[in-house]
Structure formats: C-alpha cells, structure tokens
Short mmCIF file of all heavy atoms in Angstrom, two decimals:
data_model
loop_
_atom_site.label_atom_id
_atom_site.label_comp_id
_atom_site.label_asym_id
_atom_site.label_seq_id
_atom_site.Cartn_x
_atom_site.Cartn_y
_atom_site.Cartn_z
N MET A 112 20.86 -56.79 67.85
CA MET A 112 19.89 -57.91 67.52
C MET A 112 19.62 -57.83 65.96
O MET A 112 19.29 -56.84 65.41
CB MET A 112 18.62 -57.63 68.32
CG MET A 112 17.54 -58.60 68.13
SD MET A 112 15.97 -58.05 68.98
CE MET A 112 16.43 -57.97 70.63
N PRO A 113 19.62 -59.01 65.45
CA PRO A 113 19.32 -59.03 63.89
C PRO A 113 17.84 -58.57 63.69
O PRO A 113 17.06 -58.76 64.59
CB PRO A 113 19.38 -60.49 63.57
CG PRO A 113 20.18 -61.14 64.65
CD PRO A 113 19.92 -60.29 65.93
N VAL A 114 17.66 -57.78 62.59
CA VAL A 114 16.38 -57.32 62.26
C VAL A 114 15.29 -58.37 62.23
O VAL A 114 14.22 -58.15 62.75
CB VAL A 114 16.36 -56.66 60.83
CG1 VAL A 114 14.97 -56.27 60.41
CG2 VAL A 114 17.31 -55.38 60.85
N GLU A 115 15.54 -59.57 61.71
CA GLU A 115 14.56 -60.54 61.64
C GLU A 115 14.24 -60.95 63.13
O GLU A 115 12.93 -61.16 63.33
CB GLU A 115 15.19 -61.91 60.93
CG GLU A 115 15.47 -61.69 59.48
CD GLU A 115 16.78 -60.94 59.35
OE1 GLU A 115 17.64 -60.90 60.26
OE2 GLU A 115 17.05 -60.38 58.24
N GLU A 116 15.20 -61.12 63.98
CA GLU A 116 14.83 -61.50 65.33
C GLU A 116 14.13 -60.43 66.10
O GLU A 116 13.15 -60.68 66.69
CB GLU A 116 16.19 -61.74 66.09
CG GLU A 116 15.98 -62.27 67.50
CD GLU A 116 17.39 -62.50 68.13
OE1 GLU A 116 18.38 -62.70 67.40
OE2 GLU A 116 17.44 -62.33 69.35
N ALA A 117 14.49 -59.14 65.80
CA ALA A 117 13.79 -58.05 66.45
C ALA A 117 12.39 -58.00 65.91
O ALA A 117 11.44 -57.70 66.72
CB ALA A 117 14.50 -56.74 66.11
N ASN A 118 12.14 -58.17 64.62
CA ASN A 118 10.88 -58.12 64.15
C ASN A 118 9.91 -59.18 64.70
O ASN A 118 8.70 -58.91 64.79
CB ASN A 118 10.81 -58.24 62.56
CG ASN A 118 11.12 -56.80 61.96
OD1 ASN A 118 10.91 -55.83 62.58
ND2 ASN A 118 11.55 -56.81 60.72
N ALA A 119 10.43 -60.25 64.96
CA ALA A 119 9.71 -61.38 65.71
C ALA A 119 9.04 -60.88 67.02
O ALA A 119 8.09 -61.46 67.45
CB ALA A 119 10.52 -62.63 65.82
N LYS A 120 9.64 -59.79 67.56
CA LYS A 120 9.23 -59.32 68.90
C LYS A 120 8.34 -58.15 68.66
O LYS A 120 7.98 -57.36 69.66
CB LYS A 120 10.45 -59.04 69.76
CG LYS A 120 11.19 -60.29 70.09
CD LYS A 120 12.36 -59.99 70.87
CE LYS A 120 13.08 -61.28 71.24
NZ LYS A 120 14.42 -60.99 71.90
N ALA A 121 7.93 -57.68 67.49
CA ALA A 121 7.13 -56.55 67.29
C ALA A 121 5.76 -56.69 67.93
O ALA A 121 5.28 -57.84 67.87
CB ALA A 121 7.01 -56.32 65.76
N LYS A 122 5.29 -55.63 68.44
CA LYS A 122 3.99 -55.62 69.13
C LYS A 122 2.93 -54.91 68.30
O LYS A 122 3.17 -53.88 67.61
CB LYS A 122 4.09 -54.94 70.46
CG LYS A 122 5.06 -55.61 71.38
CD LYS A 122 4.50 -55.46 72.86
CE LYS A 122 5.11 -56.45 73.77
NZ LYS A 122 6.55 -56.59 73.70
N VAL A 123 1.69 -55.42 68.37
CA VAL A 123 0.58 -54.76 67.63
C VAL A 123 0.28 -53.56 68.30
O VAL A 123 0.07 -53.51 69.53
CB VAL A 123 -0.68 -55.67 67.65
CG1 VAL A 123 -1.86 -54.91 66.99
CG2 VAL A 123 -0.39 -56.92 66.87
N VAL A 124 0.21 -52.40 67.59
CA VAL A 124 -0.09 -51.12 68.23
C VAL A 124 -1.34 -50.49 67.62
O VAL A 124 -1.82 -49.54 68.29
CB VAL A 124 1.20 -50.13 68.12
CG1 VAL A 124 2.34 -50.68 69.03
CG2 VAL A 124 1.59 -49.94 66.74
N SER A 125 -1.74 -50.90 66.54
CA SER A 125 -3.00 -50.39 65.97
C SER A 125 -3.59 -51.51 65.07
O SER A 125 -3.06 -52.13 64.33
CB SER A 125 -2.65 -49.13 65.11
OG SER A 125 -3.83 -48.53 64.70
N THR A 126 -4.95 -51.50 65.08
CA THR A 126 -5.73 -52.44 64.26
C THR A 126 -6.87 -51.74 63.60
O THR A 126 -7.56 -50.91 64.25
CB THR A 126 -6.23 -53.62 65.15
OG1 THR A 126 -5.10 -54.16 65.92
CG2 THR A 126 -6.92 -54.61 64.39
N ARG A 127 -7.12 -52.02 62.43
CA ARG A 127 -8.32 -51.50 61.75
C ARG A 127 -9.24 -52.73 61.44
O ARG A 127 -8.96 -53.67 60.70
CB ARG A 127 -7.99 -50.86 60.35
CG ARG A 127 -6.98 -49.69 60.42
CD ARG A 127 -7.58 -48.55 61.28
NE ARG A 127 -8.44 -47.70 60.44
CZ ARG A 127 -9.02 -46.61 60.79
NH1 ARG A 127 -8.83 -46.24 62.08
NH2 ARG A 127 -9.78 -45.96 60.17
N LYS A 128 -10.27 -52.79 62.25
CA LYS A 128 -11.23 -53.92 62.10
C LYS A 128 -11.73 -54.06 60.65
O LYS A 128 -11.93 -55.22 60.14
CB LYS A 128 -12.40 -53.84 63.01
CG LYS A 128 -11.94 -54.06 64.41
CD LYS A 128 -13.15 -54.30 65.32
CE LYS A 128 -12.80 -54.56 66.72
NZ LYS A 128 -12.72 -53.26 67.54
N ALA A 129 -12.00 -52.95 59.91
CA ALA A 129 -12.58 -52.97 58.58
C ALA A 129 -11.70 -53.76 57.60
O ALA A 129 -12.19 -54.53 56.68
CB ALA A 129 -12.79 -51.64 58.02
N THR A 130 -10.37 -53.72 57.83
CA THR A 130 -9.50 -54.25 56.88
C THR A 130 -8.81 -55.57 57.42
O THR A 130 -8.16 -56.33 56.72
CB THR A 130 -8.31 -53.35 56.39
OG1 THR A 130 -7.63 -52.96 57.51
CG2 THR A 130 -8.93 -52.09 55.74
N GLY A 131 -8.69 -55.74 58.72
CA GLY A 131 -8.01 -56.80 59.38
C GLY A 131 -6.58 -56.54 59.41
O GLY A 131 -5.78 -57.39 59.80
N LYS A 132 -6.09 -55.37 58.99
CA LYS A 132 -4.66 -54.99 58.97
C LYS A 132 -4.25 -54.49 60.32
O LYS A 132 -5.04 -53.89 61.10
CB LYS A 132 -4.31 -53.99 57.92
CG LYS A 132 -4.62 -54.49 56.55
CD LYS A 132 -3.43 -55.20 55.95
CE LYS A 132 -3.77 -55.44 54.40
NZ LYS A 132 -2.69 -56.25 54.01
N ARG A 133 -2.95 -54.68 60.70
CA ARG A 133 -2.45 -54.23 61.93
C ARG A 133 -1.14 -53.56 61.78
O ARG A 133 -0.42 -53.97 60.86
CB ARG A 133 -2.22 -55.51 62.84
CG ARG A 133 -3.47 -56.42 63.01
CD ARG A 133 -3.18 -57.48 63.91
NE ARG A 133 -2.07 -58.26 63.35
CZ ARG A 133 -1.38 -59.26 64.02
NH1 ARG A 133 -1.71 -59.59 65.25
NH2 ARG A 133 -0.39 -59.83 63.43
N LEU A 134 -0.93 -52.53 62.53
CA LEU A 134 0.52 -51.83 62.61
C LEU A 134 1.13 -52.44 63.75
O LEU A 134 0.72 -52.54 64.94
CB LEU A 134 0.11 -50.33 62.79
CG LEU A 134 1.45 -49.51 62.90
CD1 LEU A 134 2.29 -49.53 61.64
CD2 LEU A 134 1.15 -48.09 63.30
N LEU A 135 2.35 -52.93 63.49
CA LEU A 135 3.29 -53.41 64.46
C LEU A 135 4.40 -52.49 64.61
O LEU A 135 4.95 -51.91 63.71
CB LEU A 135 3.68 -54.87 64.17
CG LEU A 135 2.64 -55.98 64.01
CD1 LEU A 135 2.12 -56.04 62.70
CD2 LEU A 135 3.22 -57.33 64.39
N PHE A 136 4.83 -52.48 65.84
CA PHE A 136 5.99 -51.54 66.26
C PHE A 136 7.04 -52.37 67.02
O PHE A 136 6.60 -53.08 68.04
CB PHE A 136 5.48 -50.37 66.96
CG PHE A 136 6.63 -49.41 67.51
CD1 PHE A 136 7.48 -48.83 66.65
CD2 PHE A 136 6.95 -49.36 68.87
CE1 PHE A 136 8.54 -47.94 67.09
CE2 PHE A 136 7.95 -48.63 69.26
CZ PHE A 136 8.85 -47.88 68.44
N ASN A 137 8.16 -52.23 66.73
CA ASN A 137 9.26 -52.95 67.44
C ASN A 137 10.28 -51.92 68.12
O ASN A 137 11.03 -51.31 67.46
CB ASN A 137 10.17 -53.86 66.59
CG ASN A 137 10.95 -54.80 67.38
OD1 ASN A 137 11.62 -54.36 68.37
ND2 ASN A 137 11.06 -56.05 67.02
N VAL A 138 10.05 -51.70 69.33
CA VAL A 138 10.87 -50.72 70.11
C VAL A 138 12.33 -51.00 70.09
O VAL A 138 13.11 -50.11 70.08
CB VAL A 138 10.30 -50.54 71.58
CG1 VAL A 138 10.59 -51.77 72.26
CG2 VAL A 138 10.90 -49.35 72.23
N GLY A 139 12.69 -52.35 69.83
CA GLY A 139 14.08 -52.62 69.75
C GLY A 139 14.76 -52.14 68.55
O GLY A 139 15.96 -52.04 68.55
N LEU A 140 14.00 -51.68 67.55
CA LEU A 140 14.59 -51.23 66.29
C LEU A 140 14.49 -49.71 66.25
O LEU A 140 14.93 -49.05 65.23
CB LEU A 140 13.89 -51.75 65.04
CG LEU A 140 14.00 -53.29 64.90
CD1 LEU A 140 13.24 -53.75 63.64
CD2 LEU A 140 15.48 -53.64 64.62
N CYS A 141 13.99 -48.99 67.29
CA CYS A 141 13.71 -47.62 67.27
C CYS A 141 14.85 -46.95 67.94
O CYS A 141 15.19 -47.25 69.11
CB CYS A 141 12.32 -47.32 67.92
SG CYS A 141 12.15 -45.50 68.02
N PHE A 142 15.51 -45.97 67.28
CA PHE A 142 16.55 -45.20 67.94
C PHE A 142 16.16 -43.70 68.07
O PHE A 142 16.86 -42.83 68.26
CB PHE A 142 17.89 -45.26 67.09
CG PHE A 142 17.86 -44.66 65.73
CD1 PHE A 142 18.45 -43.47 65.42
CD2 PHE A 142 17.29 -45.46 64.67
CE1 PHE A 142 18.34 -42.95 64.17
CE2 PHE A 142 17.16 -44.89 63.39
CZ PHE A 142 17.76 -43.66 63.08
N GLU A 143 14.80 -43.41 68.03
CA GLU A 143 14.22 -42.17 68.34
C GLU A 143 14.71 -41.08 67.51
O GLU A 143 14.93 -40.00 68.03
CB GLU A 143 14.34 -41.94 69.84
CG GLU A 143 13.77 -43.06 70.68
CD GLU A 143 13.46 -42.64 72.07
OE1 GLU A 143 14.05 -41.74 72.50
OE2 GLU A 143 12.62 -43.28 72.77
N CYS A 144 14.72 -41.34 66.17
CA CYS A 144 15.17 -40.25 65.34
C CYS A 144 14.06 -39.17 65.05
O CYS A 144 14.27 -38.10 64.65
CB CYS A 144 15.61 -40.86 63.92
SG CYS A 144 14.24 -41.60 62.96
N GLY A 145 12.76 -39.62 65.26
CA GLY A 145 11.63 -38.78 65.20
C GLY A 145 11.17 -38.61 63.72
O GLY A 145 10.11 -37.85 63.50
N ALA A 146 11.73 -39.30 62.79
CA ALA A 146 11.26 -39.22 61.41
C ALA A 146 9.87 -39.53 61.18
O ALA A 146 9.02 -38.79 60.53
CB ALA A 146 12.16 -39.98 60.38
N CYS A 147 9.36 -40.59 61.86
CA CYS A 147 7.98 -41.07 61.69
C CYS A 147 7.01 -40.13 62.27
O CYS A 147 5.98 -39.91 61.68
CB CYS A 147 7.85 -42.39 62.34
SG CYS A 147 8.25 -42.47 64.05
N VAL A 148 7.39 -39.41 63.35
CA VAL A 148 6.52 -38.46 64.03
C VAL A 148 6.16 -37.32 62.98
O VAL A 148 5.01 -36.95 62.87
CB VAL A 148 7.14 -37.92 65.20
CG1 VAL A 148 6.27 -36.85 65.88
CG2 VAL A 148 7.38 -38.97 66.20
N GLY A 149 7.18 -36.91 62.31
CA GLY A 149 7.05 -35.81 61.27
C GLY A 149 6.22 -36.20 60.06
O GLY A 149 5.53 -35.26 59.47
N VAL A 150 6.15 -37.50 59.70
CA VAL A 150 5.28 -37.77 58.43
C VAL A 150 3.90 -38.18 58.72
O VAL A 150 3.20 -38.30 57.78
CB VAL A 150 6.08 -38.81 57.59
CG1 VAL A 150 7.47 -38.30 57.16
CG2 VAL A 150 6.23 -40.15 58.28
N CYS A 151 3.64 -38.58 59.92
CA CYS A 151 2.27 -39.16 60.26
C CYS A 151 1.24 -37.99 59.93
O CYS A 151 1.26 -36.91 60.52
CB CYS A 151 2.12 -39.56 61.65
SG CYS A 151 0.35 -40.16 61.96
N PRO A 152 0.34 -38.26 58.94
CA PRO A 152 -0.66 -37.22 58.71
C PRO A 152 -1.69 -36.95 59.71
O PRO A 152 -2.49 -36.12 59.51
CB PRO A 152 -1.30 -37.71 57.32
CG PRO A 152 -1.11 -39.23 57.37
CD PRO A 152 0.16 -39.43 58.15
N HIS A 153 -1.80 -37.82 60.60
CA HIS A 153 -2.90 -37.72 61.69
C HIS A 153 -2.36 -37.43 63.09
O HIS A 153 -3.04 -37.58 64.03
CB HIS A 153 -3.62 -39.00 61.70
CG HIS A 153 -4.27 -39.37 60.34
ND1 HIS A 153 -5.27 -38.60 59.79
CD2 HIS A 153 -3.98 -40.32 59.46
CE1 HIS A 153 -5.53 -39.03 58.56
NE2 HIS A 153 -4.80 -40.08 58.34
N ASP A 154 -1.09 -37.00 63.18
CA ASP A 154 -0.32 -36.83 64.45
C ASP A 154 -0.60 -37.86 65.42
O ASP A 154 -0.95 -37.65 66.60
CB ASP A 154 -0.98 -35.45 65.08
CG ASP A 154 -0.50 -34.22 64.25
OD1 ASP A 154 0.68 -34.31 63.74
OD2 ASP A 154 -1.20 -33.20 64.24
N SER A 155 -0.50 -39.08 64.94
CA SER A 155 -0.77 -40.29 65.73
C SER A 155 0.47 -40.79 66.51
O SER A 155 0.41 -41.71 67.34
CB SER A 155 -1.31 -41.49 64.89
OG SER A 155 -2.36 -41.07 64.20
N LEU A 156 1.68 -40.19 66.23
CA LEU A 156 2.87 -40.70 66.76
C LEU A 156 3.50 -39.63 67.70
O LEU A 156 3.44 -38.43 67.50
CB LEU A 156 3.87 -41.08 65.59
CG LEU A 156 3.36 -42.16 64.70
CD1 LEU A 156 4.36 -42.39 63.59
CD2 LEU A 156 3.17 -43.48 65.48
N ALA A 157 4.11 -40.06 68.77
CA ALA A 157 4.88 -39.20 69.67
C ALA A 157 6.13 -39.89 70.21
O ALA A 157 6.07 -41.05 70.50
CB ALA A 157 3.98 -38.61 70.82
N LEU A 158 7.11 -39.17 70.33
CA LEU A 158 8.32 -39.70 71.04
C LEU A 158 8.04 -39.81 72.52
O LEU A 158 7.45 -38.82 73.10
CB LEU A 158 9.60 -38.85 70.69
CG LEU A 158 10.14 -38.94 69.32
CD1 LEU A 158 11.11 -37.81 69.11
CD2 LEU A 158 10.92 -40.21 69.16
N THR A 159 8.55 -40.83 73.18
CA THR A 159 8.24 -40.98 74.58
C THR A 159 9.54 -40.91 75.39
O THR A 159 9.42 -40.89 76.73
CB THR A 159 7.57 -42.29 74.87
OG1 THR A 159 8.55 -43.32 74.64
CG2 THR A 159 6.28 -42.57 74.02
N GLY A 160 10.64 -40.98 74.74
CA GLY A 160 11.92 -41.19 75.55
C GLY A 160 12.36 -42.61 75.61
O GLY A 160 13.43 -42.96 75.96
N ARG A 161 11.37 -43.54 75.27
CA ARG A 161 11.66 -44.98 75.11
C ARG A 161 10.94 -45.57 74.03
O ARG A 161 10.21 -46.51 74.13
CB ARG A 161 11.16 -45.72 76.44
CG ARG A 161 12.09 -45.46 77.66
CD ARG A 161 11.73 -46.44 78.85
NE ARG A 161 10.20 -46.50 78.90
CZ ARG A 161 9.63 -47.38 79.67
NH1 ARG A 161 10.38 -48.39 80.18
NH2 ARG A 161 8.34 -47.35 79.72
N GLY A 162 11.08 -44.92 72.88
CA GLY A 162 10.46 -45.41 71.68
C GLY A 162 9.32 -44.42 71.33
O GLY A 162 9.38 -43.28 71.58
N ILE A 163 8.24 -45.07 70.74
CA ILE A 163 7.15 -44.21 70.09
C ILE A 163 5.84 -44.72 70.70
O ILE A 163 5.62 -45.83 70.94
CB ILE A 163 7.08 -44.51 68.59
CG1 ILE A 163 8.34 -43.93 67.87
CG2 ILE A 163 5.91 -43.96 68.01
CD1 ILE A 163 8.34 -42.51 67.83
N LYS A 164 4.94 -43.67 70.96
CA LYS A 164 3.68 -43.95 71.44
C LYS A 164 2.71 -43.78 70.28
O LYS A 164 2.86 -42.69 69.48
CB LYS A 164 3.30 -42.94 72.52
CG LYS A 164 1.89 -43.08 73.05
CD LYS A 164 1.81 -42.20 74.38
CE LYS A 164 0.42 -42.28 74.92
NZ LYS A 164 -0.46 -41.33 74.26
N ILE A 165 1.89 -44.72 70.02
CA ILE A 165 0.94 -44.56 68.91
C ILE A 165 -0.53 -44.54 69.32
O ILE A 165 -1.00 -45.22 70.17
CB ILE A 165 1.09 -45.93 67.94
CG1 ILE A 165 2.53 -45.95 67.41
CG2 ILE A 165 0.13 -46.01 66.88
CD1 ILE A 165 3.36 -47.00 68.20
N ASP A 166 -1.28 -43.47 68.81
CA ASP A 166 -2.60 -43.34 69.11
C ASP A 166 -3.46 -44.13 68.07
O ASP A 166 -3.47 -43.84 66.89
CB ASP A 166 -2.96 -41.88 68.84
CG ASP A 166 -4.49 -41.60 69.17
OD1 ASP A 166 -5.21 -42.53 69.24
OD2 ASP A 166 -4.83 -40.44 69.34
N ASN A 167 -3.87 -45.37 68.60
CA ASN A 167 -4.54 -46.30 67.71
C ASN A 167 -5.97 -45.87 67.33
O ASN A 167 -6.58 -46.47 66.51
CB ASN A 167 -4.46 -47.70 68.20
CG ASN A 167 -5.26 -47.85 69.46
OD1 ASN A 167 -5.96 -46.96 69.94
ND2 ASN A 167 -5.05 -49.01 70.10
N VAL A 168 -6.49 -44.68 67.86
CA VAL A 168 -7.87 -44.24 67.49
C VAL A 168 -7.63 -43.37 66.19
O VAL A 168 -8.51 -43.60 65.29
CB VAL A 168 -8.46 -43.34 68.63
CG1 VAL A 168 -9.68 -42.76 68.16
CG2 VAL A 168 -8.67 -44.25 69.90
N THR A 169 -6.61 -42.62 66.19
CA THR A 169 -6.46 -41.72 64.97
C THR A 169 -5.63 -42.38 63.81
O THR A 169 -5.80 -41.95 62.65
CB THR A 169 -5.88 -40.43 65.40
OG1 THR A 169 -4.57 -40.70 65.97
CG2 THR A 169 -6.68 -39.67 66.35
N CYS A 170 -4.90 -43.38 64.17
CA CYS A 170 -4.04 -43.99 63.04
C CYS A 170 -5.01 -44.68 62.00
O CYS A 170 -5.85 -45.45 62.46
CB CYS A 170 -3.23 -45.07 63.67
SG CYS A 170 -2.32 -46.12 62.47
N THR A 171 -4.75 -44.43 60.71
CA THR A 171 -5.49 -44.93 59.64
C THR A 171 -4.70 -46.11 58.97
O THR A 171 -5.24 -46.48 57.80
CB THR A 171 -5.87 -43.92 58.66
OG1 THR A 171 -4.70 -43.30 58.08
CG2 THR A 171 -6.80 -42.81 59.26
N LEU A 172 -3.56 -46.49 59.43
CA LEU A 172 -2.66 -47.47 58.80
C LEU A 172 -2.38 -46.96 57.36
O LEU A 172 -2.40 -47.75 56.36
CB LEU A 172 -3.37 -48.86 58.79
CG LEU A 172 -3.72 -49.51 59.99
CD1 LEU A 172 -4.04 -50.94 59.75
CD2 LEU A 172 -2.56 -49.36 61.03
N CYS A 173 -2.03 -45.70 57.27
CA CYS A 173 -1.71 -45.12 55.93
C CYS A 173 -0.42 -45.59 55.41
O CYS A 173 -0.17 -45.46 54.18
CB CYS A 173 -1.72 -43.56 56.00
SG CYS A 173 -0.25 -42.97 56.83
N ASN A 174 0.43 -46.15 56.15
CA ASN A 174 1.76 -46.73 55.80
C ASN A 174 2.90 -45.74 55.77
O ASN A 174 4.08 -46.05 55.48
CB ASN A 174 1.70 -47.38 54.38
CG ASN A 174 2.58 -48.57 54.19
OD1 ASN A 174 2.77 -49.29 55.04
ND2 ASN A 174 3.26 -48.63 53.00
N ALA A 175 2.68 -44.43 56.04
CA ALA A 175 3.78 -43.46 55.97
C ALA A 175 4.89 -43.64 56.86
O ALA A 175 6.00 -43.59 56.56
CB ALA A 175 3.17 -41.95 56.11
N CYS A 176 4.56 -44.03 58.06
CA CYS A 176 5.63 -44.33 59.02
C CYS A 176 6.38 -45.60 58.62
O CYS A 176 7.63 -45.74 58.82
CB CYS A 176 5.06 -44.52 60.50
SG CYS A 176 3.80 -45.78 60.60
N VAL A 177 5.74 -46.57 58.09
CA VAL A 177 6.38 -47.81 57.67
C VAL A 177 7.41 -47.53 56.60
O VAL A 177 8.53 -47.97 56.55
CB VAL A 177 5.39 -48.80 57.13
CG1 VAL A 177 6.07 -50.11 56.56
CG2 VAL A 177 4.30 -49.19 58.06
N ARG A 178 7.06 -46.65 55.59
CA ARG A 178 7.93 -46.22 54.51
C ARG A 178 9.07 -45.38 55.06
O ARG A 178 10.13 -45.43 54.49
CB ARG A 178 7.18 -45.37 53.39
CG ARG A 178 6.22 -46.32 52.59
CD ARG A 178 5.83 -45.50 51.34
NE ARG A 178 5.50 -44.13 51.48
CZ ARG A 178 4.26 -43.81 51.82
NH1 ARG A 178 3.27 -44.65 51.68
NH2 ARG A 178 3.99 -42.51 52.05
N THR A 179 8.90 -44.56 56.10
CA THR A 179 9.87 -43.56 56.52
C THR A 179 10.93 -44.15 57.40
O THR A 179 12.11 -43.71 57.45
CB THR A 179 9.13 -42.41 57.18
OG1 THR A 179 8.25 -41.95 56.13
CG2 THR A 179 10.10 -41.37 57.68
N CYS A 180 10.52 -45.04 58.28
CA CYS A 180 11.47 -45.52 59.32
C CYS A 180 12.70 -46.13 58.67
O CYS A 180 12.57 -47.14 57.98
CB CYS A 180 10.77 -46.52 60.24
SG CYS A 180 11.91 -47.12 61.55
N PRO A 181 13.95 -45.72 59.02
CA PRO A 181 15.01 -46.19 58.41
C PRO A 181 15.48 -47.66 58.88
O PRO A 181 16.18 -48.35 58.28
CB PRO A 181 16.12 -45.21 58.75
CG PRO A 181 15.67 -44.52 60.02
CD PRO A 181 14.17 -44.58 59.87
N THR A 182 14.95 -48.05 60.03
CA THR A 182 15.29 -49.43 60.58
C THR A 182 14.18 -50.40 60.39
O THR A 182 14.31 -51.49 60.81
CB THR A 182 15.63 -49.25 62.04
OG1 THR A 182 14.42 -48.87 62.74
CG2 THR A 182 16.67 -48.25 62.30
N GLY A 183 13.01 -50.03 59.79
CA GLY A 183 11.95 -51.04 59.65
C GLY A 183 11.25 -51.29 61.02
O GLY A 183 10.76 -52.43 61.19
N ALA A 184 11.24 -50.31 61.85
CA ALA A 184 10.55 -50.64 63.25
C ALA A 184 9.01 -50.80 63.03
O ALA A 184 8.52 -51.45 64.06
CB ALA A 184 10.86 -49.52 64.19
N PHE A 185 8.41 -50.30 62.07
CA PHE A 185 6.98 -50.38 61.78
C PHE A 185 6.71 -51.37 60.74
O PHE A 185 7.49 -51.48 59.69
CB PHE A 185 6.35 -49.05 61.43
CG PHE A 185 6.22 -48.14 62.43
CD1 PHE A 185 7.19 -46.99 62.48
CD2 PHE A 185 5.24 -48.14 63.42
CE1 PHE A 185 7.01 -46.02 63.46
CE2 PHE A 185 5.20 -47.25 64.46
CZ PHE A 185 6.12 -46.17 64.43
N GLN A 186 5.67 -52.17 60.93
CA GLN A 186 5.28 -53.09 59.81
C GLN A 186 3.78 -52.97 59.75
O GLN A 186 3.10 -52.95 60.91
CB GLN A 186 5.66 -54.49 60.17
CG GLN A 186 7.14 -54.80 60.13
CD GLN A 186 7.36 -56.25 60.60
OE1 GLN A 186 6.93 -57.21 59.98
NE2 GLN A 186 7.88 -56.41 61.75
N ILE A 187 3.19 -53.18 58.63
CA ILE A 187 1.73 -53.42 58.50
C ILE A 187 1.50 -54.84 57.94
O ILE A 187 2.01 -55.16 56.91
CB ILE A 187 1.01 -52.30 57.71
CG1 ILE A 187 1.09 -50.92 58.40
CG2 ILE A 187 -0.49 -52.76 57.45
CD1 ILE A 187 0.51 -49.80 57.64
N ARG A 188 0.70 -55.64 58.70
CA ARG A 188 0.49 -57.02 58.28
C ARG A 188 -0.96 -57.33 58.49
O ARG A 188 -1.55 -56.87 59.37
CB ARG A 188 1.40 -57.93 58.99
CG ARG A 188 2.72 -58.02 58.53
CD ARG A 188 3.48 -59.17 59.02
NE ARG A 188 4.19 -58.85 60.32
CZ ARG A 188 4.68 -59.76 61.17
NH1 ARG A 188 4.60 -60.94 61.04
NH2 ARG A 188 5.31 -59.33 62.30
S1 LIG B 229 0.21 -45.82 59.76
FE1 LIG B 229 0.01 -43.64 59.09
S2 LIG B 229 -1.58 -42.88 60.48
FE2 LIG B 229 -0.82 -44.75 61.33
S3 LIG B 229 0.86 -44.12 62.76
FE3 LIG B 229 1.83 -44.67 60.76
S4 LIG B 229 1.95 -42.65 59.67
FE4 LIG B 229 0.45 -42.28 61.30
S1 LIG B 230 11.44 -43.44 62.28
FE1 LIG B 230 11.80 -45.53 63.17
S2 LIG B 230 13.64 -45.21 64.32
FE2 LIG B 230 12.93 -43.11 63.90
S3 LIG B 230 11.66 -42.59 65.67
FE3 LIG B 230 10.25 -43.50 64.14
S4 LIG B 230 10.21 -45.76 64.71
FE4 LIG B 230 11.96 -44.88 65.71
#
C-alpha cells in the first residue's frame, strides 16, 4: 500500500486537549521492529503482535516515536 494511502487510514490514538494535537498510528505501516517502544520516554508504547498499543494517558505527544519510526507509522497533527 502506498504510504499516502496508508496514512489516510491512520487512527487517532492519543489526544492532548490542551494543545489540540493528536497522535495518529497506522498499523498498516508497522512491521513491529520495536524501535518506537525503546525511545518512548514514558513507556507509553508496547508491541502487541499486531502492531503497537499506545497508552494515551501517559503519552505526552513528545514526538520521539514519530521521529524514530522508519516507515512513518506515527504522525502528530
Ligand atoms: S509521542 Fe512521545 S510519549 Fe507519546 S507514544 Fe510517542 S514517544 Fe511516547
Ligand atoms: S518504529 Fe514504526 S514500524 Fe517499528 S514498531 Fe514502531 S510503529 Fe512499528
């Protein structure tokens, strides 16, 4: 699937009301390398066997996973 098409299917996984920003995750772009899990400063990410589970209570939208993911599975918008 082209990245543009896959990104159109990204789901909101975390929202910060104070900023109005949202973290979106596209499971179709995730190949479960685990890189994002290692860089999250709040342990908000975990591998599930079918992508990534995100704890939207502890996530601060710090952007580390967005910068780290080699396929662009995360976006903050
Ligand atoms: S945005 Fe930051 S805090 Fe939230 S899941 Fe990604 S790395 Fe963790
Ligand atoms: S860094 Fe990207 S491809 Fe790797 S596990 Fe995280 S979301 Fe999936």
Side-chain angles (χ1 to χ4, degrees):
M112 183 186 299
V114 170
E115 297 77 20
E116 186 183 331
N118 276 340
K120 295 180 178 169
K122 295 217 165 44
V123 174
V124 290
S125 186
T126 305
R127 301 296 280 185
K128 289 200 179 89
T130 62
K132 297 275 190 185
R133 305 176 305 165
L134 178 67
L135 293 90
F136 174 67
N137 192 318
V138 69
L140 293 176
C141 176
F142 64 102
E143 302 199 338
C144 69
C147 57
V148 176
V150 299
C151 178
H153 304 290
D154 289 332
S155 304
L156 301 172
L158 286 166
T159 66
R161 286 188 318 163
I163 292 287
K164 180 170 176 280
I165 296 101
D166 182 343
N167 64 8
V168 175
T169 58
C170 170
T171 61
L172 300 192
C173 74
N174 210 43
C176 56
V177 178
R178 285 199 313 269
T179 300
C180 178
T182 66
F185 289 104
Q186 298 172 62
I187 292 178
R188 281 194 268 167

